Amino acid sequence: AAPATISRHGIEADCRIAREGDFLVAYVVNRTDHVAVVNKNFGNSLPFASGDWVFETGATMKEVSAVPGANQTWKDFLGENLSEVGPGESLAVTRIDLKTLRARFAEEGADLSGESGSVHFQYNNMCDRLWQSRERAALSGNTNVPKVLRDPLSRRLLSTRQSSNRVHVLDLQ
């Protein structure tokens, strides 16, 4: 029998967050019945995935990046950060300690001291074979580009935009 996390409706992936001690951890969950590949190379533009912690209360929304101040280049893209995830399994893609998360939200003007509001995580990866095909001229033969991006990317690489469950701000105190 397939694991309970396998989608019966064609959903390929989910994003989940959980508090683990003094950390908030973001996971990508493979909802398919085959191995999937998740891009854990985070940065500000393709081929990097993006990840943002989001605080919302009422009409207010504040975002902080999972990779603050990152200025990645091609050489920073690592093949070992394209991680396989089994059917129904999850992979931790990033974690942040709560003290740092609260401080970074405060820098953005968010007030986490109240009783309302929630935090969730947004994961976005558009690096896939279609992107690679569109970028063929820039990738092929360019020795500044890592070999992993010049070779065909896995057909199982998840191209996805996901938003996680919400954790109430009081649960982060």
Side-chain angles (χ1 to χ4, degrees), residues 121-137:
F121 186 76
Q122 295 181 131
Y123 174 81
N124 181 14
N125 179 56
M126 298 292 113
C127 176
D128 60 8
R129 290 184 102 175
L130 181 59
W131 168 82
Q132 192 178 41
S133 176
R134 286 190 300 250
E135 297 295 322
R136 185 169 300 142

Side-chain angles (χ1 to χ4, degrees), residues 133-145:
S133 176
R134 286 190 300 250
E135 297 295 322
R136 185 169 300 142
L139 298 173
S140 62
N142 184 344
T143 56
N144 292 324
V145 174

Side-chain angles (χ1 to χ4, degrees), residues 64-128:
V64 294
S65 174
V67 285
N71 292 312
Q72 283 74 15
T73 64
W74 292 112
K75 67 180 178 178
D76 299 312
F77 193 93
L78 304 174
E80 57 264 25
N81 284 341
L82 297 177
S83 303
E84 289 189 350
V85 183
E89 294 179 354
S90 61
L91 175 72
V93 292
T94 191
R95 61 190 286 133
I96 189 166
D97 70 87
L98 295 172
K99 183 178 179 182
T100 300
L101 181 67
R102 285 190 292 268
R104 292 193 50 218
F105 277 132
E107 288 171 8
E108 293 296 319
D111 179 12
L112 276 71
S113 64
E115 293 185 10
S116 66
S118 63
V119 174
H120 68 276
F121 186 76
Q122 295 181 131
Y123 174 81
N124 181 14
N125 179 56
M126 298 292 113
C127 176
D128 60 8

